[in-house]
């Protein structure tokens, strides 16, 4: 233990005022901002030393402080709530702004020296109240080395945290590890220190029973840009002339990195986001993982940033973790913080007191440290986890300077105070102004405000085309970013007006397929276009985007017509992303996540079957189609007219669209309570190349419906109701037509025919199928209701069904998706994996279909605007760059999928 020595102040020309009646008073304030802050700036023995010098020391009561109040009273401190008598008030962390007292001297860690935005309100209040602020962080010696710090105990606590975190992370990755008991085995670790240049060798050929460590100094990773040499004198003068080779020479061979450097904006970063992307690439281990002993996805497992400097030397450490939630996962695309509670109990707290079981720890691993990426720990008050030791250590360092701080008179000019250089240079503010050394803080603030103002003046502009079912969740998600200006184009005036009342949009009424020039001029003003129109209009929109070199996003399939524009898209240097909804969209993303993970462990995909459907909730499915529309009726109806191709046990199966598609409908045996049926959807075989699974002998993508849907629609096909050809009798200039008259035309009887005659003709056309006949009658297709004006029969039927089979008040929809994989592992075992996604609509919110189509589309749009997606050309969501962030972000929106696997020989 360090011995306290009385401060030698004679050289400073100060008097101890012994024998005077009025002596300055000092107070130790209560820490009341953070519930975990149990440290104090001085321990009782330091208080005793100060009171022995004749000074009065007030101690503000605290049940949270690790060292009990009575110990301070024994040391001569006076316990009282009111500390207004004190001229010097010491704390560890910042006090609440409303508890500051004017014209006092305060000392604490203010976190203002980098103009940290979160603490500028505090600094303003300090200036307003003419407080003299001494910041411990700036108490340095003549070499610039800090003389007052908790550093040692931050390192100890940080090491304990990250070893514990490593244990949880490795458990989540399939390894049992002694790191689970980090506290007990910390001193027993079989460590060996090596030089930084030896890391590569030991990471590849070292003893697997050892933990290798290295200590890094500047000369190990910093080099001058011009000649690759490190010159310490030159670096201190011109740090901006240097780069760090940490990302190439050290990080690739590091499993756990503990960072404690101080970073300035003109000094090189250790790791950038781009570095993280490279380091998170799957490792090429010479050891093939097997069940029970998997290979790690990448070398770098964990980072403990003791500096807790957000956006500093580790660029992607964008927010601190906390003592109660010490870990998060970073996957180079986003910063994700997981819940660490088990049945309402915080495991981190209980870990220290042995109140949790091994099984509970394993459960926490699955909750908080699973997923892709690097485990991060960046607690900004680490020493608070060892509060007594940290208080003793810090107090030993601060004590020699306390007496001159007590003698500080905040009402007098700073220049008149006889401070030592250590204290003088740590004064941030005094007498209502920033000290000369810290006037740069105001310039930093002004610079940031100008940047923010410029950012607001240069909003990103997005054009959303279409006001259908999906548009609202897209608008809601994008509207969360105040820096996005949204224009909405549609030919449906009432819909666009309704959206305008809910969201801050620029409405534009236009017939998009007929006003090419207007569309082009509108697109030219945008940064991004989101097309939520019927799929036939996407090529029309894409051409406008190509001409004006504007990026585009759509939820729909990349159709042959859109595919024809691929070279033009590439030549224009823009990004056009399709298939970003549910099906297609999330189905692709979930498939690619499983496929990529299988490939990383050397496994192959032998089969892939995916079925997806948007349905009414079972209680709302009581109609002839067992279906209601929360998606474009035209697209749904036309889907059954498309031919389908799939691969089954190595053989290609072709299914014709139209009447014969009913032959391909099969009952689904999962979710038996839902009574589902499914049928193949379009060409599934092409996904062998798109997904990179040429090894698959079975490949099928299909649509789910309730049993009876396919048969009812088959009747519509027989009657010619699902026909996209132009039908002049339904167009605006023609005489109004009733459904009875239209059906007479379609089945070849006179429009004046009686109902029974028409019914007989329709029944004959349906081959006498009573179920199909009942569907036609129940939907009013033999009645005298007027047919909606439309370009084609199917367009008219679509409008009719949208009215008849729309969701009523209080009714909700659901989506059901089941992906099934057969995965052959290197060991020869076959893994049968299923992914299930079931989402219900919100009665007072968005439908399930709108959410699952609109939100992934909006997320991809935001990623493209923010530069997270760099790829160019006509693409789908088949790469990690796109699917990984979206699959993480949909969870926050309540779109949750589950997985299950069984292993067989």
């Amino acid at each position: 233990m360090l011995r306290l020595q009385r401060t030698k102040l004679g050289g400073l020309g100060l008097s101890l005022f012994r024998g005077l009646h009025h002596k300055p008073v000092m107070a130790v304030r209560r820490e009341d901002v953070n519930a975990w802050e149990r440290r104090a700036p001085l321990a009782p023995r330091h208080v005793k030393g100060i009171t022995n010098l004749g000074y009065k020391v007030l101690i503000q009561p605290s049940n949270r402080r690790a060292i009990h109040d009575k110990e301070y009273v024994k040391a001569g401190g006076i316990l009282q709530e009111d500390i207004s008598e004190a001229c010097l008030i010491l704390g560890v962390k910042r006090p609440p702004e409303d508890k500051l007292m004017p014209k006092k001297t305060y000392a604490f860690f203010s976190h203002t020296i980098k103009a940290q935005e979160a603490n500028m309100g505090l600094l303003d209040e300090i200036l307003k109240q003419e407080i003299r602020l001494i910041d411990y962080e700036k108490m340095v010696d003549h070499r610039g080395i800090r003389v007052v710090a908790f550093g040692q105990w931050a390192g100890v606590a940080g090491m304990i945290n990250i070893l514990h975190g490593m244990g949880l992370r490795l458990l989540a990755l399939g390894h049992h590890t002694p790191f689970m008991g980090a506290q007990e085995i910390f001193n027993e670790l079989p460590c060996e220190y090596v030089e930084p240049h030896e890391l590569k060798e030991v990471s590849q050929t070292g003893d697997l029973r050892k933990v290798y460590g290295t200590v890094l100094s500047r000369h190990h990773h910093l080099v001058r840009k011009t000649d690759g040499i490190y010159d310490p004198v030159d670096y201190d003068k011109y740090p901006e002339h240097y780069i760090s080779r940490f990302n190439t020479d050290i990080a690739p061979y590091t499993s756990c990195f503990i960072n404690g450097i101080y970073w300035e904006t003109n000094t090189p970063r250790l790791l950038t986001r781009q570095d993280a992307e490279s380091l998170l690439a799957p490792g090429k281990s010479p050891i093939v993982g097997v069940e029970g002993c998997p290979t790690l996805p990448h070398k770098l497992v964990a980072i403990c940033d003791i500096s807790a400097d957000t956006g500093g030397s580790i660029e992607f450490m964008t927010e601190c973790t906390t003592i109660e939630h010490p870990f998060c996962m970073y996957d180079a695309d986003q910063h994700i913080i997981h819940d660490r509670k088990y049945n309402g109990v915080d495991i981190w707290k209980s870990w220290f007191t042995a109140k949790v079981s091994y099984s509970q720890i394993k459960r926490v691993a699955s909750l908080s440290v699973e997923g892709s990426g690097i485990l991060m720990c960046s607690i900004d008050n680490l020493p608070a986890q060892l509060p007594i030791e940290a208080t003793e250590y810090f107090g030993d360092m601060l004590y020699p300077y306390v007496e001159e701080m007590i003698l500080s008179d905040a009402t007098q000019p700073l220049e008149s105070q006889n401070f030592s250089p250590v204290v003088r240079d740590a004064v941030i503010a005094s007498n209502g102004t920033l000290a000369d050394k810290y006037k740069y803080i105001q310039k930093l603030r002004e610079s940031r405000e100008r940047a923010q103002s410029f950012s607001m003046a240069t909003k990103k502009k997005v054009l959303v085309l279409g006001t259908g079912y999906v548009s609202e969740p897209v608008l809601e998600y994008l509207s969360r970013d105040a820096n996005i200006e949204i224009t909405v184009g549609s030919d449906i005036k009432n819909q666009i007006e309704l959206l305008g009342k809910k969201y801050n949009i620029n409405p534009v009424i236009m017939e998009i397929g007929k006003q090419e020039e207007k569309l082009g001029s509108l697109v030219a003003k945008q940064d991004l276009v989101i097309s939520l129109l019927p799929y036939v209009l996407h090529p029309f929109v894409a051409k406008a985007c190509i001409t004006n070199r504007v990026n585009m996003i759509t939820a729909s399939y990349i159709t042959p017509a859109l595919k024809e524009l691929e070279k033009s898209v590439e030549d224009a240097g823009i990004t056009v992303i399709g298939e970003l909804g549910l099906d297609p969209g999330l189905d692709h993303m979930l498939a690619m996540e499983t496929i990529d993970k299988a490939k990383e462990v050397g496994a192959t995909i032998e089969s892939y079957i995916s079925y997806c459907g948007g349905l009414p909730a079972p209680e709302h499915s009581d109609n002839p189609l067992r279906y209601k529309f929360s998606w474009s009726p035209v697209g749904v109806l036309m889907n059954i007219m498309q031919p389908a191709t799939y691969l089954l046990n190595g053989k290609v199966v072709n299914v014709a669209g139209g009447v014969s598609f009913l032959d391909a409908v099969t009952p689904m045996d999962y979710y038996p309570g839902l009574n589902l049926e499914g049928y193949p959807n379009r060409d599934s075989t092409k996904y062998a190349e798109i997904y990179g699974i040429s090894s698959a002998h079975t490949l099928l993508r299909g649509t789910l419906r309730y049993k009876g849907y396919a048969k009812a629609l088959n009747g519509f096909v027989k009657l010619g109701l699902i026909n996209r050809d132009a039908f002049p009798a339904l167009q605006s200039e023609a005489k109004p037509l009733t459904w009875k008259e239209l059906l007479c035309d379609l089945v070849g009887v006179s429009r004046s025919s009686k109902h029974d005659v028409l019914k007989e003709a329709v029944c004959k056309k349906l081959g006498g199928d009573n179920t199909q006949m009942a569907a036609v009658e129940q939907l009013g297709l033999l009645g005298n209701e007027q047919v909606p004006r439309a370009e084609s029969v199917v367009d008219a039927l679509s409008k009719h069904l949208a009215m008849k089979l729309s969701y009523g008040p209080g009714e909700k929809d659901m989506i059901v998706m089941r992906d099934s994989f057969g995965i052959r592992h290197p060991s020869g075992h076959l893994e049968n994996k299923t992914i299930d996604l079931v989402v219900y609509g919100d009665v007072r919110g968005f439908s399930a279909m709108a959410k699952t189509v609109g939100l992934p589309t909006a997320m991809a749009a935001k990623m493209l605007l923010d530069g997270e997606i760099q790829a160019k050309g006509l693409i789908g969501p088949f790469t990690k760059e796109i699917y990984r962030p979206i699959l993480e972000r949909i969870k926050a929106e309540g779109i949750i999928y589950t997985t299950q696997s069984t292993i067989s020989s």
Side-chain angles (χ1 to χ4, degrees), residues 863-876:
M863 290 165 64
L864 197 52
L865 288 171
D866 292 346
E868 290 185 74
I869 299 175
Q870 295 291 323
K872 301 294 182 184
L874 179 62
I875 58 176

Side-chain angles (χ1 to χ4, degrees), residues 256-391:
C256 177
F257 166 46
I258 298 171
N259 177 46
I261 72 166
Y262 179 78
W263 182 81
E264 293 281 3
T265 54
N266 62 339
T267 58
R269 282 191 165 98
L270 290 176
L271 291 174
T272 65
R273 175 172 288 186
Q274 290 72 32
D275 295 332
E277 290 174 356
S278 175
L279 292 168
L280 289 180
K284 297 180 180 179
S285 173
I287 303 172
V288 178
V290 296
E291 187 179 356
C293 189
T295 56
L296 294 176
H298 37 75
K299 184 69 176 178
L300 185 58
V301 176
I303 295 176
C304 179
D305 191 357
I306 293 173
S307 73
D309 189 4
T310 56
S313 58
I314 300 174
E315 182 185 25
F316 48 86
M317 200 286 282
T318 56
E319 60 178 289
C320 292
T321 56
T322 62
I323 291 175
E324 57 265 46
H325 300 290
F327 307 119
C328 67
M329 294 298 296
Y330 176 79
D331 70 355
D333 294 298
Q334 57 188 324
H335 195 64
I336 305 162
I337 298 176
H338 300 274
D339 185 10
R340 301 189 65 261
K341 289 188 176 181
Y342 177 83
N343 290 340
V345 177
D346 192 297
I347 298 296
W348 182 249
K349 298 176 187 176
S350 301
W351 176 66
F352 280 111
T353 53
K355 293 180 180 178
V356 294
S357 67
Y358 176 72
S359 63
Q360 290 172 325
I361 287 288
K362 288 185 69 177
R363 176 59 178 151
V364 169
S366 69
L367 289 173
S368 61
V369 294
E370 279 192 346
S372 302
I374 304 170
L375 182 80
M376 300 286 290
C377 178
S378 53
I379 302 169
D380 63 358
N381 58 338
L382 275 169
Q385 293 178 281
L386 299 166
I388 295 177
E389 294 88 345
T391 296

Side-chain angles (χ1 to χ4, degrees), residues 671-791:
Y671 297 126
L674 295 180
N675 198 18
L676 299 171
E677 64 184 21
Y679 54 88
N681 189 7
R682 306 190 187 221
D683 182 7
S684 299
T685 61
K686 67 181 182 180
Y687 290 97
E689 180 180 351
I690 293 172
Y691 288 174
I693 51 173
S694 57
S695 57
H697 58 66
T698 296
L699 187 53
L700 190 156
R701 287 164 44 85
T703 299
L704 288 176
R705 294 288 184 261
Y706 289 126
K707 189 175 181 180
Y709 168 89
K711 191 171 186 179
L713 253 63
N714 182 257
F716 293 166
V717 176
K718 292 176 183 177
L719 294 173
L721 287 167
I722 305 183
N723 189 328
R724 198 101 201 226
D725 294 342
F727 201 87
L730 295 178
Q731 294 172 6
S732 57
E733 60 273 11
K735 180 183 176 182
L737 202 63
T738 65
W739 280 107
K740 173 180 175 294
E741 291 169 334
L742 176 59
L743 264 292
C744 286
D745 288 350
L746 294 176
V747 299
V749 299
S750 170
R751 290 185 181 180
S752 61
S753 298
K754 292 185 178 180
H755 183 270
D756 290 344
V757 174
L758 173 59
K759 183 176 179 179
E760 183 179 347
V762 170
C763 189
K764 183 177 180 181
K765 196 84 171 178
L766 295 174
D769 191 304
N770 292 330
T771 302
Q772 293 177 340
M773 187 70 216
V776 171
E777 287 191 289
Q778 289 177 37
L779 291 171
L781 300 181
L782 301 183
N784 291 316
E785 187 176 340
Q786 186 173 316
V787 181
R789 296 290 188 182
E791 291 294 316

